[in-house]
Coordinates of all heavy atoms in Angstrom, one line a residue:
M786 N -244.6 -200.6 -259.5 CA -245.2 -199.6 -258.7 C -244.1 -198.8 -257.9 O -244.1 -197.6 -257.7 CB -246.2 -200.2 -257.7 CG -246.9 -199.2 -256.9 SD -248.0 -198.2 -258.0 CE -248.8 -197.3 -256.8
K787 N -243.1 -199.6 -257.4 CA -242.0 -199.0 -256.7 C -241.2 -198.1 -257.6 O -240.7 -197.0 -257.2 CB -241.1 -200.1 -256.1 CG -241.7 -200.8 -254.9 CD -240.7 -201.8 -254.4 CE -241.4 -202.6 -253.3 NZ -240.4 -203.6 -252.7
K788 N -241.0 -198.5 -258.8 CA -240.2 -197.6 -259.8 C -241.0 -196.3 -260.1 O -240.4 -195.3 -260.2 CB -240.0 -198.4 -261.1 CG -239.0 -199.5 -260.9 CD -238.8 -200.2 -262.2 CE -237.8 -201.4 -262.0 NZ -237.6 -202.1 -263.3
L789 N -242.3 -196.4 -260.1 CA -243.1 -195.2 -260.4 C -243.0 -194.3 -259.2 O -242.9 -193.0 -259.4 CB -244.6 -195.6 -260.7 CG -245.5 -194.5 -260.9 CD1 -245.1 -193.8 -262.2 CD2 -246.9 -194.9 -261.0
C790 N -243.1 -194.8 -258.0 CA -243.0 -193.9 -256.8 C -241.6 -193.3 -256.7 O -241.5 -192.1 -256.4 CB -243.2 -194.7 -255.5 SG -245.0 -195.2 -255.4
A791 N -240.6 -194.0 -257.0 CA -239.2 -193.5 -257.0 C -239.0 -192.4 -258.0 O -238.4 -191.4 -257.8 CB -238.2 -194.6 -257.2
A792 N -239.6 -192.6 -259.2 CA -239.5 -191.6 -260.3 C -240.3 -190.3 -259.9 O -239.8 -189.2 -260.2 CB -240.1 -192.1 -261.6
M793 N -241.4 -190.4 -259.2 CA -242.2 -189.3 -258.8 C -241.4 -188.5 -257.7 O -241.4 -187.3 -257.7 CB -243.5 -189.7 -258.2 CG -244.5 -190.3 -259.3 SD -244.9 -189.1 -260.5 CE -246.0 -188.1 -259.6
L794 N -240.7 -189.2 -256.8 CA -239.9 -188.5 -255.8 C -238.8 -187.8 -256.3 O -238.4 -186.7 -255.9 CB -239.4 -189.5 -254.7 CG -240.5 -190.1 -253.7 CD1 -239.9 -191.1 -252.9 CD2 -241.1 -188.9 -252.9
L795 N -238.2 -188.3 -257.4 CA -237.0 -187.6 -258.0 C -237.5 -186.4 -258.8 O -236.7 -185.5 -259.0 CB -236.3 -188.6 -259.0 CG -235.5 -189.7 -258.4 CD1 -235.0 -190.6 -259.4 CD2 -234.4 -189.2 -257.5
C796 N -238.7 -186.3 -259.1 CA -239.2 -185.1 -259.9 C -239.6 -183.9 -258.9 O -239.7 -182.8 -259.4 CB -240.5 -185.5 -260.7 SG -240.1 -186.6 -262.0
L797 N -239.7 -184.2 -257.6 CA -240.0 -183.1 -256.7 C -238.8 -182.2 -256.6 O -237.7 -182.6 -256.6 CB -240.3 -183.7 -255.3 CG -241.6 -184.5 -255.3 CD1 -241.8 -185.2 -253.9 CD2 -242.8 -183.7 -255.6
P798 N -239.1 -180.9 -256.4 CA -238.0 -179.9 -256.2 C -237.3 -180.1 -254.9 O -238.0 -180.5 -253.9 CB -238.7 -178.6 -256.4 CG -240.1 -178.8 -256.0 CD -240.4 -180.2 -256.5
V799 N -236.1 -179.8 -254.8 CA -235.4 -179.9 -253.6 C -235.8 -178.7 -252.7 O -236.0 -177.6 -253.1 CB -233.8 -179.8 -253.9 CG1 -233.0 -179.8 -252.6 CG2 -233.4 -180.9 -254.8
A800 N -235.9 -178.9 -251.4 CA -236.4 -177.9 -250.4 C -235.4 -176.9 -250.1 O -235.7 -176.0 -249.3 CB -236.9 -178.6 -249.2
A801 N -234.1 -177.0 -250.5 CA -233.1 -176.0 -250.2 C -233.2 -174.8 -251.1 O -232.9 -174.9 -252.3 CB -231.7 -176.6 -250.2
F802 N -233.6 -173.7 -250.6 CA -233.7 -172.4 -251.4 C -232.6 -171.5 -251.1 O -232.3 -171.2 -249.9 CB -235.1 -171.8 -251.2 CG -236.2 -172.6 -251.6 CD1 -237.0 -173.3 -250.7 CD2 -236.5 -172.7 -253.0 CE1 -238.1 -174.0 -251.1 CE2 -237.6 -173.5 -253.4 CZ -238.4 -174.1 -252.5
A803 N -232.0 -170.9 -252.0 CA -230.9 -169.9 -251.8 C -231.4 -168.6 -252.5 O -232.0 -168.7 -253.5 CB -229.6 -170.4 -252.4
Y804 N -231.1 -167.5 -251.9 CA -231.5 -166.2 -252.4 C -230.2 -165.6 -253.0 O -229.1 -165.8 -252.6 CB -232.1 -165.3 -251.4 CG -231.4 -165.2 -250.1 CD1 -230.3 -164.3 -249.9 CD2 -231.7 -166.0 -249.0 CE1 -229.6 -164.2 -248.8 CE2 -231.0 -165.9 -247.8 CZ -230.0 -165.0 -247.7 OH -229.3 -164.9 -246.5
P805 N -230.4 -164.7 -254.1 CA -229.3 -164.1 -254.7 C -228.7 -163.0 -253.8 O -229.5 -162.3 -253.1 CB -229.8 -163.5 -256.0 CG -231.3 -163.4 -255.8 CD -231.7 -164.5 -254.8
I806 N -227.4 -162.8 -253.8 CA -226.8 -161.8 -253.0 C -225.9 -160.9 -253.9 O -225.1 -161.4 -254.7 CB -225.9 -162.4 -251.9 CG1 -226.7 -163.3 -251.0 CG2 -225.2 -161.3 -251.1 CD1 -225.9 -164.1 -250.0
E807 N -226.1 -159.6 -253.8 CA -225.3 -158.6 -254.5 C -224.4 -157.9 -253.5 O -224.9 -157.4 -252.5 CB -226.1 -157.6 -255.2 CG -226.9 -158.1 -256.4 CD -227.7 -157.0 -257.1 OE1 -227.7 -155.9 -256.6 OE2 -228.5 -157.4 -258.0
V808 N -223.1 -157.8 -253.8 CA -222.1 -157.2 -252.9 C -221.5 -156.0 -253.6 O -221.0 -156.2 -254.7 CB -221.1 -158.1 -252.4 CG1 -220.1 -157.4 -251.5 CG2 -221.7 -159.3 -251.6
E809 N -221.6 -154.8 -253.1 CA -221.0 -153.6 -253.6 C -219.9 -153.2 -252.6 O -220.2 -153.0 -251.5 CB -222.0 -152.5 -253.8 CG -221.5 -151.3 -254.4 CD -222.6 -150.2 -254.6 OE1 -223.8 -150.6 -254.5 OE2 -222.2 -149.1 -254.8
K810 N -218.6 -153.0 -253.1 CA -217.5 -152.7 -252.2 C -217.0 -151.3 -252.6 O -216.8 -151.0 -253.7 CB -216.4 -153.7 -252.4 CG -216.8 -155.1 -251.9 CD -215.6 -156.0 -252.0 CE -215.5 -156.7 -253.3 NZ -214.5 -157.7 -253.3
H811 N -216.8 -150.5 -251.5 CA -216.1 -149.2 -251.6 C -215.0 -149.3 -250.6 O -215.1 -149.1 -249.4 CB -217.1 -148.1 -251.2 CG -218.3 -148.0 -252.1 ND1 -218.3 -147.5 -253.4 CD2 -219.6 -148.5 -251.9 CE1 -219.5 -147.6 -253.9 NE2 -220.3 -148.2 -253.0
I812 N -213.8 -149.6 -251.1 CA -212.6 -149.9 -250.2 C -211.5 -148.8 -250.5 O -211.1 -148.7 -251.7 CB -212.1 -151.3 -250.4 CG1 -213.2 -152.3 -250.1 CG2 -210.9 -151.5 -249.6 CD1 -212.9 -153.7 -250.5
D813 N -211.2 -148.1 -249.5 CA -210.1 -147.0 -249.7 C -208.9 -147.3 -248.8 O -209.0 -147.3 -247.5 CB -210.7 -145.7 -249.2 CG -211.9 -145.2 -250.1 OD1 -211.9 -145.6 -251.3 OD2 -212.8 -144.6 -249.6
G814 N -207.8 -147.6 -249.4 CA -206.5 -147.8 -248.7 C -206.3 -149.0 -247.9 O -205.4 -149.1 -247.1
V815 N -207.2 -150.0 -248.1 CA -207.0 -151.3 -247.4 C -207.1 -152.5 -248.4 O -207.8 -152.3 -249.4 CB -208.0 -151.5 -246.2 CG1 -207.7 -150.5 -245.1 CG2 -209.4 -151.4 -246.7
K816 N -206.5 -153.6 -248.1 CA -206.6 -154.8 -248.9 C -207.7 -155.7 -248.2 O -207.3 -156.4 -247.2 CB -205.3 -155.5 -249.0 CG -204.3 -154.7 -249.8 CD -203.0 -155.5 -249.9 CE -202.0 -154.7 -250.6 NZ -200.7 -155.4 -250.7
L817 N -208.9 -155.6 -248.6 CA -210.0 -156.3 -248.0 C -210.8 -157.1 -249.0 O -211.0 -156.7 -250.1 CB -210.9 -155.3 -247.3 CG -211.9 -155.8 -246.3 CD1 -211.4 -155.5 -244.9 CD2 -213.2 -155.3 -246.5
D818 N -211.2 -158.3 -248.5 CA -212.0 -159.2 -249.4 C -213.3 -159.5 -248.6 O -213.3 -159.6 -247.4 CB -211.3 -160.5 -249.7 CG -212.0 -161.4 -250.6 OD1 -212.7 -160.8 -251.5 OD2 -211.9 -162.6 -250.5
A819 N -214.4 -159.5 -249.3 CA -215.7 -159.8 -248.7 C -216.4 -161.0 -249.3 O -216.4 -161.1 -250.6 CB -216.6 -158.6 -248.9
T820 N -216.9 -161.9 -248.5 CA -217.6 -163.1 -249.0 C -218.9 -163.2 -248.3 O -219.0 -163.2 -247.1 CB -216.8 -164.4 -248.6 OG1 -215.4 -164.2 -249.1 CG2 -217.4 -165.6 -249.2
A821 N -220.0 -163.2 -249.1 CA -221.4 -163.2 -248.5 C -221.9 -164.6 -248.5 O -221.6 -165.5 -249.3 CB -222.3 -162.3 -249.4
Y822 N -222.8 -164.9 -247.5 CA -223.4 -166.2 -247.3 C -224.9 -166.0 -247.1 O -225.3 -165.0 -246.5 CB -222.8 -166.9 -246.1 CG -221.3 -167.1 -246.1 CD1 -220.5 -166.2 -245.4 CD2 -220.8 -168.1 -246.9 CE1 -219.1 -166.4 -245.5 CE2 -219.4 -168.3 -246.9 CZ -218.6 -167.4 -246.2 OH -217.2 -167.6 -246.3
D823 N -225.6 -167.0 -247.5 CA -227.1 -167.1 -247.2 C -227.2 -168.1 -246.0 O -227.3 -169.3 -246.2 CB -227.9 -167.5 -248.4 CG -227.5 -168.7 -249.1 OD1 -226.3 -169.1 -248.9 OD2 -228.3 -169.3 -249.8
T824 N -227.2 -167.6 -244.8 CA -227.2 -168.5 -243.6 C -228.5 -169.1 -243.4 O -228.6 -170.3 -243.1 CB -226.8 -167.7 -242.4 OG1 -225.7 -166.8 -242.7 CG2 -226.4 -168.5 -241.3
A825 N -229.6 -168.4 -243.4 CA -230.9 -168.9 -243.2 C -231.9 -168.0 -244.1 O -231.4 -167.1 -244.7 CB -231.3 -168.7 -241.7
Y826 N -233.1 -168.4 -244.1 CA -234.1 -167.7 -244.9 C -234.3 -166.2 -244.6 O -234.7 -165.4 -245.4 CB -235.4 -168.4 -244.9 CG -236.2 -168.2 -243.7 CD1 -237.2 -167.2 -243.6 CD2 -236.0 -169.0 -242.6 CE1 -237.9 -167.0 -242.4 CE2 -236.7 -168.8 -241.4 CZ -237.7 -167.9 -241.4 OH -238.4 -167.7 -240.2
D827 N -233.9 -165.8 -243.3 CA -234.1 -164.4 -242.9 C -232.9 -163.8 -242.3 O -232.9 -162.8 -241.7 CB -235.3 -164.3 -241.9 CG -235.0 -165.1 -240.6 OD1 -234.1 -166.0 -240.6 OD2 -235.7 -164.9 -239.6
I828 N -231.7 -164.5 -242.5 CA -230.4 -164.0 -242.0 C -229.4 -163.9 -243.1 O -229.2 -164.8 -243.8 CB -229.9 -164.9 -240.9 CG1 -230.8 -164.9 -239.7 CG2 -228.5 -164.4 -240.4 CD1 -230.4 -165.9 -238.6
G829 N -228.8 -162.7 -243.2 CA -227.7 -162.5 -244.2 C -226.4 -162.4 -243.4 O -226.4 -161.8 -242.3
A830 N -225.3 -162.9 -244.0 CA -224.0 -162.8 -243.4 C -222.9 -162.5 -244.4 O -223.1 -162.8 -245.6 CB -223.7 -164.1 -242.7
I831 N -221.9 -161.8 -243.9 CA -220.7 -161.5 -244.8 C -219.5 -161.7 -243.9 O -219.5 -161.3 -242.7 CB -220.9 -160.1 -245.4 CG1 -219.8 -160.0 -246.5 CG2 -220.8 -159.0 -244.4 CD1 -220.1 -158.8 -247.4
T832 N -218.4 -162.2 -244.5 CA -217.1 -162.3 -243.9 C -216.2 -161.3 -244.5 O -216.0 -161.3 -245.7 CB -216.6 -163.7 -244.0 OG1 -217.5 -164.6 -243.4 CG2 -215.2 -163.8 -243.3
L833 N -215.5 -160.5 -243.7 CA -214.5 -159.5 -244.2 C -213.1 -160.0 -243.8 O -212.9 -160.2 -242.6 CB -214.8 -158.1 -243.5 CG -216.2 -157.5 -243.8 CD1 -216.4 -156.3 -243.0 CD2 -216.4 -157.3 -245.2
D834 N -212.3 -160.2 -244.8 CA -210.9 -160.6 -244.5 C -210.0 -159.4 -244.9 O -210.0 -158.9 -246.0 CB -210.5 -161.8 -245.4 CG -211.3 -163.0 -245.1 OD1 -211.2 -163.4 -243.9 OD2 -211.9 -163.6 -246.0
N835 N -209.2 -159.0 -243.9 CA -208.2 -157.9 -244.1 C -206.9 -158.5 -244.3 O -206.2 -159.1 -243.5 CB -208.2 -157.0 -242.8 CG -207.4 -155.8 -243.1 OD1 -206.7 -155.6 -244.1 ND2 -207.4 -154.8 -242.1
Y836 N -206.4 -158.4 -245.6 CA -205.1 -158.9 -246.0 C -204.0 -157.9 -245.9 O -202.8 -158.2 -246.2 CB -205.1 -159.5 -247.4 CG -206.1 -160.7 -247.5 CD1 -207.2 -160.6 -248.2 CD2 -205.8 -161.9 -246.9 CE1 -208.1 -161.6 -248.4 CE2 -206.6 -162.9 -247.0 CZ -207.8 -162.8 -247.7 OH -208.7 -163.9 -247.8
G837 N -204.3 -156.6 -245.6 CA -203.3 -155.5 -245.5 C -202.6 -155.5 -244.2 O -202.7 -156.3 -243.3
Q838 N -201.7 -154.4 -244.1 CA -200.9 -154.2 -242.9 C -201.5 -153.1 -242.0 O -201.0 -152.9 -240.9 CB -199.5 -153.7 -243.4 CG -198.8 -154.7 -244.3 CD -198.5 -156.0 -243.5 OE1 -198.2 -156.0 -242.4 NE2 -198.6 -157.1 -244.3
V839 N -202.7 -152.5 -242.4 CA -203.3 -151.5 -241.6 C -204.7 -152.0 -241.2 O -205.4 -152.7 -242.0 CB -203.4 -150.2 -242.3 CG1 -202.0 -149.6 -242.5 CG2 -204.1 -150.3 -243.6
P840 N -205.2 -151.6 -240.0 CA -206.6 -152.0 -239.6 C -207.6 -151.2 -240.5 O -207.3 -150.1 -241.0 CB -206.7 -151.6 -238.2 CG -205.4 -150.9 -237.8 CD -204.5 -151.0 -238.9
A841 N -208.8 -151.8 -240.6 CA -209.8 -151.2 -241.4 C -211.1 -150.9 -240.6 O -211.4 -151.7 -239.8 CB -210.2 -152.1 -242.6
A842 N -211.7 -149.8 -240.8 CA -212.9 -149.4 -240.2 C -214.0 -149.6 -241.3 O -214.0 -148.9 -242.3 CB -212.9 -148.0 -239.7
C843 N -215.0 -150.5 -241.1 CA -215.9 -150.8 -242.1 C -217.4 -150.5 -241.7 O -217.7 -150.6 -240.5 CB -215.8 -152.3 -242.5 SG -214.3 -152.7 -243.2
K844 N -218.2 -150.1 -242.6 CA -219.6 -149.9 -242.4 C -220.3 -150.8 -243.4 O -220.1 -150.7 -244.6 CB -220.0 -148.5 -242.7 CG -221.4 -148.2 -242.7 CD -221.7 -146.7 -243.0 CE -223.2 -146.5 -243.2 NZ -223.4 -145.1 -243.7
V845 N -221.1 -151.8 -242.9 CA -221.8 -152.8 -243.8 C -223.3 -152.5 -243.7 O -223.8 -152.4 -242.6 CB -221.5 -154.2 -243.3 CG1 -222.1 -155.2 -244.2 CG2 -220.0 -154.5 -243.3
T846 N -223.9 -152.3 -244.9 CA -225.3 -152.0 -245.0 C -226.0 -153.2 -245.7 O -225.6 -153.6 -246.8 CB -225.6 -150.7 -245.8 OG1 -224.8 -149.7 -245.2 CG2 -227.0 -150.4 -245.7
F847 N -227.0 -153.8 -245.0 CA -227.8 -154.9 -245.5 C -229.1 -154.4 -246.0 O -229.8 -153.7 -245.2 CB -228.0 -156.0 -244.5 CG -226.8 -156.7 -244.1 CD1 -226.0 -156.3 -243.0 CD2 -226.3 -157.9 -244.7 CE1 -224.9 -157.0 -242.5 CE2 -225.2 -158.5 -244.3 CZ -224.5 -158.1 -243.2
R848 N -229.5 -154.7 -247.2 CA -230.8 -154.2 -247.7 C -231.6 -155.4 -248.2 O -231.1 -156.2 -249.0 CB -230.7 -153.2 -248.9 CG -230.2 -151.9 -248.4 CD -230.2 -150.9 -249.6 NE -229.6 -149.7 -249.2 CZ -228.3 -149.4 -249.2 NH1 -227.5 -150.3 -249.6 NH2 -227.8 -148.3 -248.8
N849 N -232.9 -155.5 -247.8 CA -233.8 -156.6 -248.2 C -235.1 -156.0 -248.6 O -236.0 -155.9 -247.8 CB -234.0 -157.6 -247.1 CG -235.0 -158.7 -247.5 OD1 -235.1 -159.0 -248.6 ND2 -235.7 -159.2 -246.5
G850 N -235.2 -155.5 -249.8 CA -236.5 -155.0 -250.3 C -237.1 -153.8 -249.5 O -236.4 -152.8 -249.2
P851 N -238.3 -153.9 -249.1 CA -239.0 -152.8 -248.4 C -238.6 -152.5 -247.0 O -239.0 -151.5 -246.4 CB -240.5 -153.2 -248.5 CG -240.5 -154.7 -248.5 CD -239.2 -155.1 -249.3
E852 N -237.9 -153.5 -246.3 CA -237.5 -153.2 -244.9 C -236.4 -152.2 -244.8 O -235.7 -151.9 -245.8 CB -237.0 -154.5 -244.3 CG -238.0 -155.6 -244.1 CD -237.5 -156.7 -243.3 OE1 -236.8 -156.5 -242.3 OE2 -237.8 -157.9 -243.7
A853 N -236.3 -151.6 -243.7 CA -235.3 -150.5 -243.4 C -233.9 -151.2 -243.5 O -233.8 -152.3 -243.0 CB -235.5 -149.9 -242.1
P854 N -233.0 -150.5 -244.1 CA -231.6 -151.1 -244.2 C -231.0 -151.3 -242.8 O -231.2 -150.5 -241.9 CB -230.8 -150.0 -244.9 CG -231.8 -149.1 -245.6 CD -233.0 -149.2 -244.8
R855 N -230.3 -152.3 -242.6 CA -229.6 -152.6 -241.4 C -228.1 -152.2 -241.5 O -227.5 -152.7 -242.5 CB -229.7 -154.1 -241.0 CG -231.0 -154.7 -241.1 CD -231.9 -154.3 -239.9 NE -233.0 -155.2 -239.6 CZ -234.2 -155.1 -240.1 NH1 -234.5 -154.0 -240.8 NH2 -235.1 -155.9 -239.7
V856 N -227.6 -151.4 -240.7 CA -226.2 -150.9 -240.7 C -225.4 -151.5 -239.6 O -225.9 -151.4 -238.4 CB -226.2 -149.4 -240.7 CG1 -224.7 -148.9 -240.7 CG2 -227.0 -148.8 -241.9
R857 N -224.3 -152.1 -239.9 CA -223.4 -152.6 -238.9 C -222.0 -152.0 -239.1 O -221.6 -151.9 -240.2 CB -223.2 -154.2 -239.1 CG -224.6 -154.9 -239.0 CD -225.2 -154.9 -237.6 NE -226.3 -155.7 -237.6 CZ -227.6 -155.3 -237.6 NH1 -227.8 -154.0 -237.7 NH2 -228.6 -156.1 -237.5
R858 N -221.4 -151.6 -238.0 CA -220.0 -151.1 -238.1 C -219.1 -152.0 -237.4 O -219.4 -152.5 -236.3 CB -220.0 -149.7 -237.4 CG -220.9 -148.7 -238.1 CD -220.8 -147.3 -237.4 NE -221.8 -146.4 -237.9 CZ -221.8 -145.8 -239.0 NH1 -220.8 -145.9 -239.8 NH2 -222.8 -145.0 -239.4
V859 N -217.9 -152.3 -238.0 CA -217.0 -153.2 -237.5 C -215.6 -152.8 -237.8 O -215.3 -152.2 -238.9 CB -217.3 -154.6 -238.1 CG1 -217.1 -154.7 -239.5 CG2 -216.4 -155.7 -237.4
N860 N -214.6 -153.0 -236.9 CA -213.2 -152.7 -237.1 C -212.5 -154.1 -237.4 O -212.7 -155.0 -236.6 CB -212.6 -152.0 -235.9 CG -213.1 -150.6 -235.8 OD1 -213.5 -150.0 -236.7 ND2 -213.2 -150.2 -234.5
V861 N -211.8 -154.2 -238.5 CA -211.1 -155.4 -238.8 C -209.6 -155.2 -238.7 O -209.0 -154.4 -239.4 CB -211.4 -155.9 -240.3 CG1 -210.8 -157.2 -240.5 CG2 -212.9 -155.9 -240.5
P862 N -208.9 -155.8 -237.7 CA -207.5 -155.6 -237.5 C -206.7 -156.2 -238.7 O -207.2 -157.0 -239.4 CB -207.2 -156.4 -236.2 CG -208.5 -156.6 -235.5 CD -209.5 -156.6 -236.6
A863 N -205.5 -155.7 -238.8 CA -204.7 -156.2 -239.9 C -204.4 -157.7 -239.8 O -204.1 -158.2 -238.8 CB -203.3 -155.4 -239.9
G864 N -204.6 -158.4 -240.9 CA -204.4 -159.8 -241.0 C -205.5 -160.6 -240.3 O -205.3 -161.8 -240.2
K865 N -206.6 -160.1 -240.0 CA -207.6 -160.8 -239.3 C -208.9 -160.8 -240.1 O -209.0 -160.2 -241.2 CB -207.9 -160.2 -237.9 CG -206.8 -160.1 -237.0 CD -206.5 -161.5 -236.5 CE -205.3 -161.4 -235.5 NZ -204.9 -162.7 -235.0
R866 N -209.9 -161.4 -239.6 CA -211.2 -161.5 -240.3 C -212.3 -161.2 -239.3 O -212.2 -161.4 -238.1 CB -211.5 -162.8 -241.0 CG -212.0 -163.9 -240.2 CD -212.4 -165.1 -240.9 NE -211.5 -165.5 -242.0 CZ -211.4 -166.6 -242.6 NH1 -212.2 -167.6 -242.2 NH2 -210.5 -166.8 -243.5
A867 N -213.5 -160.7 -239.8 CA -214.6 -160.4 -239.0 C -215.9 -160.9 -239.7 O -216.0 -160.7 -240.9 CB -214.7 -158.9 -238.7
D868 N -216.8 -161.5 -239.0 CA -218.1 -161.9 -239.5 C -219.1 -160.9 -239.1 O -219.2 -160.4 -237.9 CB -218.5 -163.3 -238.9 CG -217.5 -164.3 -239.4 OD1 -217.2 -164.3 -240.6 OD2 -217.1 -165.2 -238.6
V869 N -220.0 -160.5 -240.0 CA -221.1 -159.5 -239.8 C -222.4 -160.2 -240.2 O -222.4 -160.7 -241.3 CB -220.8 -158.2 -240.6 CG1 -221.9 -157.2 -240.2 CG2 -219.4 -157.7 -240.3
T870 N -223.4 -160.1 -239.4 CA -224.7 -160.7 -239.7 C -225.8 -159.7 -239.5 O -225.6 -158.8 -238.8 CB -225.0 -162.0 -238.9 OG1 -225.0 -161.6 -237.5 CG2 -223.9 -163.1 -239.1
S871 N -226.9 -160.0 -240.1 CA -228.1 -159.2 -239.9 C -229.4 -160.1 -240.0 O -229.5 -160.9 -241.0 CB -228.2 -158.1 -240.9 OG -229.3 -157.3 -240.7
K872 N -230.3 -159.9 -239.1 CA -231.6 -160.7 -239.2 C -232.7 -159.8 -239.6 O -232.8 -158.6 -239.2 CB -231.9 -161.3 -237.8 CG -233.1 -162.1 -237.8 CD -233.2 -162.9 -236.5 CE -234.5 -163.7 -236.4 NZ -235.2 -164.1 -237.5
F873 N -233.5 -160.3 -240.5 CA -234.6 -159.5 -241.0 C -236.0 -160.0 -240.5 O -236.0 -161.1 -240.0 CB -234.7 -159.5 -242.5 CG -233.5 -158.7 -243.1 CD1 -232.3 -159.4 -243.5 CD2 -233.6 -157.4 -243.3 CE1 -231.3 -158.7 -244.0 CE2 -232.5 -156.7 -243.9 CZ -231.4 -157.3 -244.2
N874 N -237.0 -159.2 -240.6 CA -238.3 -159.6 -240.1 C -239.1 -160.6 -241.0 O -240.0 -161.3 -240.6 CB -239.2 -158.4 -239.8 CG -238.7 -157.6 -238.7 OD1 -238.1 -158.1 -237.8 ND2 -238.8 -156.3 -238.8
R875 N -238.7 -160.6 -242.3 CA -239.4 -161.4 -243.3 C -238.3 -162.2 -244.1 O -237.2 -161.9 -244.0 CB -240.3 -160.6 -244.2 CG -239.6 -159.4 -244.8 CD -240.5 -158.7 -245.8 NE -241.5 -157.9 -245.0 CZ -242.3 -157.0 -245.5 NH1 -242.2 -156.7 -246.8 NH2 -243.2 -156.4 -244.8
Q876 N -238.8 -163.1 -244.9 CA -237.9 -163.9 -245.7 C -237.2 -163.0 -246.8 O -237.8 -162.1 -247.4 CB -238.7 -165.0 -246.5 CG -237.9 -165.9 -247.3 CD -238.7 -167.0 -247.9 OE1 -239.9 -167.1 -247.7 NE2 -238.1 -167.8 -248.7
I877 N -235.9 -163.3 -246.9 CA -235.1 -162.6 -247.9 C -235.3 -163.1 -249.3 O -235.2 -164.3 -249.5 CB -233.6 -162.7 -247.5 CG1 -233.3 -162.1 -246.2 CG2 -232.7 -162.0 -248.6 CD1 -231.9 -162.3 -245.6
I878 N -235.7 -162.2 -250.2 CA -235.8 -162.6 -251.6 C -234.6 -162.3 -252.4 O -234.1 -163.1 -253.2 CB -237.0 -161.9 -252.2 CG1 -238.3 -162.3 -251.5 CG2 -237.2 -162.2 -253.7 CD1 -239.5 -161.5 -251.8
K879 N -234.0 -161.1 -252.2 CA -232.7 -160.7 -252.8 C -232.0 -159.8 -251.8 O -232.6 -158.8 -251.3 CB -233.0 -160.0 -254.1 CG -231.7 -159.6 -254.8 CD -232.0 -159.0 -256.1 CE -230.8 -158.7 -256.9 NZ -231.1 -158.1 -258.2
L880 N -230.8 -160.1 -251.4 CA -230.0 -159.4 -250.4 C -229.0 -158.5 -251.1 O -228.2 -159.0 -252.0 CB -229.4 -160.3 -249.4 CG -228.6 -159.7 -248.3 CD1 -229.5 -158.9 -247.4 CD2 -227.9 -160.7 -247.5
R881 N -229.0 -157.2 -250.8 CA -228.0 -156.3 -251.3 C -227.1 -155.8 -250.1 O -227.7 -155.3 -249.2 CB -228.7 -155.1 -252.0 CG -229.4 -155.5 -253.2 CD -230.3 -154.3 -253.7 NE -231.1 -154.7 -254.8 CZ -232.3 -155.2 -254.7 NH1 -232.8 -155.4 -253.5 NH2 -233.0 -155.5 -255.8
V882 N -225.8 -156.0 -250.3 CA -224.9 -155.7 -249.2 C -223.9 -154.6 -249.7 O -223.3 -154.8 -250.8 CB -224.1 -156.9 -248.7 CG1 -223.2 -156.5 -247.6 CG2 -225.1 -158.0 -248.3
T883 N -223.8 -153.5 -249.0 CA -222.8 -152.5 -249.4 C -221.7 -152.5 -248.3 O -222.1 -152.3 -247.1 CB -223.5 -151.1 -249.5 OG1 -224.5 -151.2 -250.4 CG2 -222.5 -150.1 -249.9
V884 N -220.5 -152.6 -248.7 CA -219.3 -152.6 -247.8 C -218.5 -151.4 -248.1 O -218.0 -151.2 -249.2 CB -218.5 -153.9 -247.9 CG1 -217.3 -153.8 -247.0 CG2 -219.3 -155.1 -247.7
A885 N -218.4 -150.5 -247.1 CA -217.6 -149.3 -247.2 C -216.5 -149.3 -246.1 O -216.8 -149.3 -244.9 CB -218.4 -148.0 -247.0
C886 N -215.2 -149.4 -246.6 CA -214.1 -149.6 -245.6 C -213.0 -148.5 -245.9 O -212.8 -148.1 -247.1 CB -213.5 -150.9 -245.7 SG -214.5 -152.3 -245.2
S887 N -212.4 -148.1 -244.9 CA -211.2 -147.2 -245.0 C -210.2 -147.5 -244.0 O -210.5 -148.2 -243.0 CB -211.7 -145.7 -244.9 OG -212.2 -145.5 -243.6
A888 N -209.0 -147.1 -244.2 CA -207.9 -147.3 -243.2 C -208.1 -146.5 -242.0 O -208.6 -145.4 -242.0 CB -206.6 -147.0 -243.8
E889 N -207.8 -147.1 -240.8 CA -208.0 -146.4 -239.5 C -206.8 -145.5 -239.3 O -205.7 -145.7 -239.7 CB -208.0 -147.4 -238.4 CG -209.4 -148.0 -238.3 CD -209.5 -148.8 -237.0 OE1 -208.5 -149.2 -236.4 OE2 -210.6 -149.1 -236.6

């Protein structure tokens, strides 16, 4: 009986759900890397790493289906990193992030 219960528990799906994230980058004149994370079911996050010698002015747009896009503007100094987050009103099914950066 114990073996049957253990086998049934192993068949249950894991409760950790991750949503797909698409990142589109438009980078002009800076060496910048973007890494996206699924922080919570309704929060999207992205880390911007500036590897160049000039500061970058970035505009990050988060899109989650029918909700209005969330726009965040951030300045990333040379050799530094910046975290950008956005909270939505409903659960994220698929997150689309557009990063547009240019040299300051």
